[in-house]
Amino acid sequence: MSASTEKLKILCLHGYRQSAQGFREKTGSFRKSLKKFADFVFLDAPHKVCAEQGGGEDNDQCLGWWFSREDNYYRAVEYSDIHKGFSQSVEHVCQFIREQGPFDGVLAFSQGACFLSLLCAMKKCGDLDLDLGFVMLFAAFRSRCSPHAKYYSPDHVSSVPALLCIGEGDEVIPLEMGNELIECFNDPVVLYHPGGHFLPTQPEQRKFYQNFLEKRLAVKKSQ
């Protein structure tokens, strides 16, 4: 096995009002603790968030995977019949994987993690031909956009190996929304932490991630 294949190659999808560069910077400690196991590649979402929404990075770096209103707004806890830009984001990710892959797995945060869970369900029901490997979902949740409801059918439970990390103190994504996603995967690894809307990197959590990736790396090396 060559040096380039001794590690896992993981695609990373940022949250709403974030960017690839911003997510890379915010995950510095996380990535450092896992450098033995993986290399991380970051991708920008294709849609720019309106500056008036605020709360994110610099205006040029506020991006999203889809909008739940026609005026290019998104809020995870709101129910909506709109998923503006979702299809374009699916093609955006597929094209990136075709051109820059293959990837051994995909890691995602918040809206990016919700988006990734939908890709897993789309793959399960035959609407998407894409190898996702394994997934690591942080602050993920079930979409409340009605066009996505069909992907949460019990018939579409994903068999993609999954790690779900849920913050019990998350004030952006309520705990019940994170818990709802657990049943969408077949036997996922679930990690609860007492913190909020971020990737936790305390020693016990780092060990959890390392154990998960060590198993995935062993699978890769056995192939």
Side-chain angles (χ1 to χ4, degrees), residues 142-182:
R142 285 177 60 154
S143 171
R144 291 185 171 180
C145 295
S146 60
H148 302 157
K150 62 182 179 180
Y151 295 119
Y152 296 118
S153 163
D155 296 331
H156 299 154
V157 173
S158 176
S159 58
V160 173
L163 181 154
L164 278 68
C165 184
I166 300 172
E168 296 173 321
D170 194 330
E171 297 182 355
V172 178
I173 304 301
L175 180 60
E176 60 269 21
M177 288 182 69
N179 285 334
E180 288 173 353
L181 197 61
I182 295 174

Side-chain angles (χ1 to χ4, degrees), residues 44-206:
D44 276 326
H47 306 298
K48 188 171 181 179
V49 176
C50 296
E52 289 78 7
Q53 294 183 35
E57 300 173 12
D58 294 339
N59 291 346
D60 291 341
Q61 298 299 316
C62 286
L63 306 170
W65 298 101
W66 78 92
F67 302 107
S68 55
R69 299 183 193 174
E70 288 293 349
D71 60 352
N72 293 359
Y73 182 90
Y74 179 82
R75 191 161 180 249
V77 299
E78 291 184 349
Y79 291 92
S80 172
D81 294 328
I82 296 167
H83 65 157
K84 184 179 179 181
F86 180 82
S87 296
Q88 293 94 321
S89 288
V90 172
E91 178 53 36
H92 178 65
V93 170
C94 288
Q95 181 177 350
F96 187 82
I97 291 177
R98 287 193 296 266
E99 295 176 353
Q100 304 296 327
F103 291 92
D104 299 297
V106 187
L107 176 156
F109 175 71
S110 196
Q111 192 198 39
C114 176
F115 178 73
L116 177 56
S117 73
L118 287 165
L119 296 184
C120 291
M122 293 171 69
K123 176 180 173 63
K124 177 65 176 181
C125 69
D127 286 355
L128 186 68
D129 182 14
L130 189 66
D131 184 6
L132 297 169
F134 62 86
V135 297
M136 301 176 73
L137 305 168
F138 294 83
F141 54 93
R142 285 177 60 154
S143 171
R144 291 185 171 180
C145 295
S146 60
H148 302 157
K150 62 182 179 180
Y151 295 119
Y152 296 118
S153 163
D155 296 331
H156 299 154
V157 173
S158 176
S159 58
V160 173
L163 181 154
L164 278 68
C165 184
I166 300 172
E168 296 173 321
D170 194 330
E171 297 182 355
V172 178
I173 304 301
L175 180 60
E176 60 269 21
M177 288 182 69
N179 285 334
E180 288 173 353
L181 197 61
I182 295 174
E183 65 185 22
C184 298
F185 290 88
N186 181 25
D187 196 26
V189 176
V190 182
L191 170 65
Y192 288 95
H193 69 94
H197 199 63
F198 56 84
L199 277 66
T201 56
Q202 294 300 309
E204 63 271 23
Q205 293 140 8
R206 292 200 301 268

